[in-house]
Amino acid sequence: MSGVVPRFELRLRELDPCVLNVLRQHVFLERQADSPLDSLLAQDGLAALEIVDRGTKGLGGRTQNSSSRDQDEPNDYADFILTVGAPPEDLQGGGSYGFGKTASYLASRCSTIVVWSRSRNKNGEIIERLIASAMGGVFDKEGQRFTGRQWWGQHPRSPQPPGVLAFEPLVGDEARSLGQAVFERGFEVDETGTSILVLGFAPQGQLEYDGDFDPSEVADRLVDAVLRNLWPKLPVDQPSERRMDVGVTLDGVSLPLPGLTDSSVLQGLWRCLRAIRAVQAGASQPDSGIDVRPTRRYSDTTGHIALTNVSAESDVDAMSGLEDRVALMRHTAELVVRAEPYPGRVTESLRWVGVFKPVEAFDEAFSKAEPPAHDSWSNVEGLDKRAKSIVTVSMREVGKEVRAFLAPVDFAVESENKSTGALSSALAGLTGAVPGSGATTSPARTQGRRTSGTSPKIDLRSIDPLPRDANDLESGRQRSKLTVTVQGKTPTLLRLAALKVAVDGGTMESGDDVALDRWVGGHPEGDGVLVPPGDEVSAIVSYPAGVAISFSFKAGDR
């Protein structure tokens, strides 16, 4: 709905006795004896997952596939409730009414859901509907053979053709009264949307699941699923048509969702997506720390890939597991189709993230390449020759750009007078780590040229991005720890001889933009630090977030 930020919620709870009584006595009046539904409704407690969307258009349109339909009339109710595998009429949509709907049944131990929806008709009047549905095996009843698909609603008011099994949803006040008695989240006065109650919610969607589960653990998994699949919709500083208001609750209590400042991986992904949006809109690229490159098929640009480095905090980052991957997404929907892994990394102390999005003109080819689960672009064999080429060449281009981005960085150590270490760091696009955490380090040793047998030797041990505190975030800066050891026979005075911004093919003077913050270890002396032989010392440097820096150490006499 134009101008409205939709609300999406996952509400996990145990149904109380009052709700169970309503389901037994007013919804599922007739059910097959000894069926999974019958057995679960006989229990005192029943886990349920309520899937909610608001600010959407709801399930409108006709309620029978056999009835005629105006060309301008929506068909959402019939597609979702009656038909499996209906393609979306809106080409900007994210999928079809097929696998997603089936998944809601598979997440139920009794393969049963209750659907409550509000939409508007062509006159702008609110239409309220409620119906229950089950998807089970074939069964016989009173001498008739049934397919296993079942619905609980009301008999149609108009006569039906012979042999046609017809049913209608509850509507109006009756639907509202029953919905309010069963669902945890209701509707505001003018609100439209849909709620789906998955009865007997089973972790991992196992129908045969017969044990208890920890609701808190399952709720945490729901939060994780939201973050990994809906992260493009979460930041609030974007246009309303791209946003989604998302929530996860456990027994009515809202669970916190990590924000940009809680995850360097999420920061990196969001910056990549924002950069691609700008480039594809014809605007200037807003972030110099993001590497955006087109993918091409012949002379056509098929999409764009953006890549950036992030700090290595995989043990504490809420989005751990999405680093060293490219998030593949459709052009308009911007829902994550797949986080595609690629091997390699820039340095041991850095990780990377990437985003690929097709241009609008070729989005349909990628849509057609999605299998029913909409979790990859692997279904290319059924495409026409041109569409198949667009997808396969684009994916090959993505792999090529990732390999180029991950190409090893050359470390150069030079000698000047006593001994100088020079290093062009691989910190382009570096984003902050989780506050209060430490980076994982693995030594990265450089080999220096010695001017004489007695000259001190500088060994670079690691480059570690530091957590960005409130001041760093406000000023748009990043700090990193450069750790070295000095090998010599006597204490050595160590200085930072140069701090510059690194650019393609060289460096540029940075003024005060790149600065030494402080030394850690050793004994301060003047503008340097005195380092005993073999001791480890670190320089904390500060620089604008999203730039590469070049620096050199110089070891000399006191």
Side-chain angles (χ1 to χ4, degrees):
M1 295 175 65
S2 178
V4 176
V5 177
R7 171 73 178 174
F8 173 74
E9 299 177 8
L10 295 173
R11 308 182 71 93
L12 180 64
R13 77 187 205 268
E14 181 178 295
L15 301 181
D16 61 44
C18 292
V19 173
L20 286 172
N21 284 333
V22 171
L23 292 173
R24 296 180 191 119
Q25 299 173 18
H26 298 281
V27 179
F28 302 104
L29 297 178
E30 295 184 33
R31 53 188 184 269
Q32 187 180 2
D34 299 324
S35 67
L37 173 60
D38 189 59
S39 301
L40 286 175
L41 289 179
Q43 298 178 5
D44 292 334
L46 184 62
L49 178 65
E50 194 170 308
I51 305 169
V52 177
D53 66 62
R54 296 290 185 270
T56 56
K57 60 183 180 179
L59 301 178
R62 59 181 181 166
T63 57
Q64 293 294 322
N65 273 333
S66 59
S67 62
S68 61
R69 174 197 171 206
D70 294 335
Q71 190 63 31
D72 296 333
E73 182 185 17
N75 203 41
D76 300 311
Y77 178 90
D79 283 343
F80 188 82
I81 299 297
L82 308 177
T83 307
V84 174
E89 296 178 350
D90 181 359
L91 293 179
Q92 296 183 353
S96 62
Y97 289 127
F99 180 86
K101 179 176 66 175
T102 304
S104 65
Y105 290 95
L106 293 176
S108 165
R109 292 168 60 192
C110 54
S111 305
T112 304
I113 63 175
V114 183
V115 181
W116 181 23
S117 185
R118 292 178 108 206
S119 60
R120 291 184 183 274
N121 62 18
K122 59 185 178 181
N123 298 320
E125 301 166 330
I126 286 184
I127 305 297
E128 195 151 359
R129 295 166 170 167
L130 186 142
I131 193 165
S133 177
M135 189 179 293
V138 176
F139 67 94
D140 297 314
K141 183 178 181 181
E142 298 177 357
Q144 288 187 314
R145 188 76 163 172
F146 293 87
T147 64
R149 291 216 63 191
Q150 302 172 67
W151 293 268
W152 289 263
Q154 62 181 345
H155 294 293
R157 294 179 173 84
S158 58
Q160 298 296 309
V164 174
L165 180 62
F167 53 90
E168 293 282 346
L170 301 179
V171 297
D173 292 340
E174 193 174 8
R176 183 180 310 112
S177 176
L178 202 53
Q180 291 174 341
V182 170
F183 286 81
E184 185 175 55
R185 169 68 152 88
F187 288 88
E188 301 296 334
V189 176
D190 294 323
E191 206 170 33
T192 57
T194 303
S195 293
I196 302 172
L197 188 68
V198 180
L199 294 178
F201 177 65
Q204 301 176 359
Q206 298 175 347
L207 294 178
E208 70 276 9
Y209 183 85
D210 58 0
D212 295 328
F213 63 85
D214 182 350
S216 297
E217 179 184 343
V218 174
D220 288 341
R221 286 164 52 189
L222 294 177
V223 169
D224 186 68
V226 163
L227 289 173
R228 293 171 189 276
N229 293 280
L230 299 180
W231 63 261
K233 306 296 181 182
L234 300 181
V236 297
D237 57 340
Q238 58 179 325
S240 60
E241 63 269 19
R242 296 189 183 276
R243 285 181 51 201
M244 185 182 292
D245 188 14
V246 180
V248 179
T249 67
L250 174 60
D251 291 326
V253 178
S254 295
L255 303 181
L257 295 179
L260 289 179
T261 57
D262 301 313
S263 168
S264 63
V265 173
L266 184 56
Q267 285 183 52
L269 287 168
W270 171 238
R271 292 171 62 214
C272 285
L273 176 56
R274 185 175 59 180
I276 290 178
R277 285 178 180 172
V279 170
Q280 293 187 345
S284 59
Q285 214 275 73
D287 194 332
S288 62
I290 304 296
D291 190 5
V292 182
R293 301 183 185 184
T295 57
R296 300 187 186 279
R297 174 186 173 269
Y298 304 127
S299 60
D300 293 327
T301 296
T302 61
H304 291 84
I305 179 172
L307 298 158
T308 190
N309 295 314
V310 297
S311 57
E313 294 290 339
S314 58
D315 55 338
V316 294
D317 198 300
M319 299 286 280
S320 174
L322 293 185
E323 62 269 57
D324 300 347
R325 294 170 181 261
V326 176
L328 308 178
M329 63 180 64
R330 296 267 302 286
H331 177 82
T332 302
E334 289 190 345
L335 298 174
V336 177
V337 173
R338 177 178 172 82
E340 185 70 32
Y342 290 88
R345 66 183 65 174
V346 177
T347 71
E348 291 294 331
S349 57
L350 295 177
R351 309 297 286 274
W352 63 272
V353 295
V355 172
F356 171 77
K357 197 171 81 151
V359 297
E360 186 174 12
F362 295 118
D363 198 43
E364 186 176 357
F366 290 88
S367 172
K368 291 179 177 179
E370 294 177 9
H374 304 291
D375 59 356
S376 71
W377 288 326
S378 60
N379 191 28
V380 296
E381 295 306 321
L383 302 181
D384 61 56
K385 184 177 180 180
R386 182 171 182 268
K388 180 178 179 179
S389 176
I390 289 169
V391 175
T392 54
V393 170
S394 297
M395 290 298 93
R396 187 165 65 241
E397 288 281 291
V398 167
K400 183 183 74 174
E401 296 298 344
V402 171
R403 288 191 296 274
F405 180 78
L406 297 180
V409 175
D410 291 330
F411 294 116
V413 178
E414 303 173 355
S415 295
E416 179 182 277
N417 298 329
K418 297 297 183 179
S419 179
T420 302
L423 168 66
S424 179
S425 66
L427 300 179
L430 182 67
T431 56
V434 177
S437 62
T440 301
T441 65
S442 294
R445 186 180 295 270
T446 62
Q447 298 298 322
R449 296 196 301 271
R450 302 291 296 275
T451 58
S452 70
T454 60
S455 299
K457 178 185 177 183
I458 303 171
D459 284 337
L460 178 69
R461 305 297 296 175
S462 64
I463 308 170
D464 298 308
L466 297 179
R468 296 179 73 187
D469 58 25
N471 291 331
D472 291 332
L473 293 170
E474 183 177 352
S475 61
R477 297 184 68 80
Q478 170 72 51
R479 289 173 299 131
S480 288
K481 182 170 68 171
L482 316 176
T483 302
V484 299
T485 57
V486 181
Q487 304 295 336
K489 294 183 178 180
T490 61
T492 302
L493 183 62
L494 184 70
R495 296 183 179 91
L496 266 173
L499 282 174
K500 299 180 181 181
V501 172
V503 295
D504 289 342
T507 62
M508 61 181 290
E509 294 298 333
S510 60
D512 295 331
D513 282 346
V514 184
L516 172 67
D517 186 72
R518 67 185 187 277
W519 292 98
V520 177
H523 306 285
E525 186 168 311
D527 61 350
V529 63
L530 192 63
V531 186
D535 277 14
E536 193 172 84
V537 66
S538 300
I540 309 299
V541 295
S542 174
Y543 51 92
V547 304
I549 65 172
S550 176
F551 57 87
S552 62
F553 287 95
K554 182 178 181 180
D557 296 331
R558 297 179 59 181

